[in-house]
Amino acid sequence: MIRLEEIQKTYRLGRRRVEALRGVCLELQEGAFAAVAGPSGSGKTTLLNLVGCLDTPSAGRVLLMG
């Protein structure tokens, strides 16, 4: 199982703060199939990097197998 609880991811771009994800909640049970779709810049890759433990959230929790 994968659970995301109130995930936020913020990047710095010079002096600007870019909020890639804000308050994302998601739960996928073992064996579930899901697709991530959206326009360019909507946070798809950021979300997948967090789920794959390649990155850490600025806030919130990523839970794998509980």
Side-chain angles (χ1 to χ4, degrees):
M1 177 193 66
I2 297 170
R3 181 184 305 167
L4 305 179
E5 296 177 345
E6 295 296 326
I7 294 295
Q8 295 181 20
K9 184 62 180 181
T10 304
Y11 294 102
R12 287 254 182 233
L13 198 61
R15 293 183 185 187
R16 282 185 30 172
R17 286 183 41 190
V18 178
E19 292 184 352
L21 299 173
R22 285 181 296 215
V24 175
C25 297
L26 173 71
E27 185 172 324
L28 295 173
Q29 296 298 323
E30 186 175 340
F33 178 82
V36 179
S40 177
S42 63
K44 300 177 301 291
T45 300
T46 300
L47 177 68
L48 293 175
N49 285 340
L50 292 169
V51 168
C53 298
L54 299 174
D55 201 356
T56 56
S58 302
R61 298 192 324 164
V62 177
L63 300 165
L64 303 174
M65 304 303 283

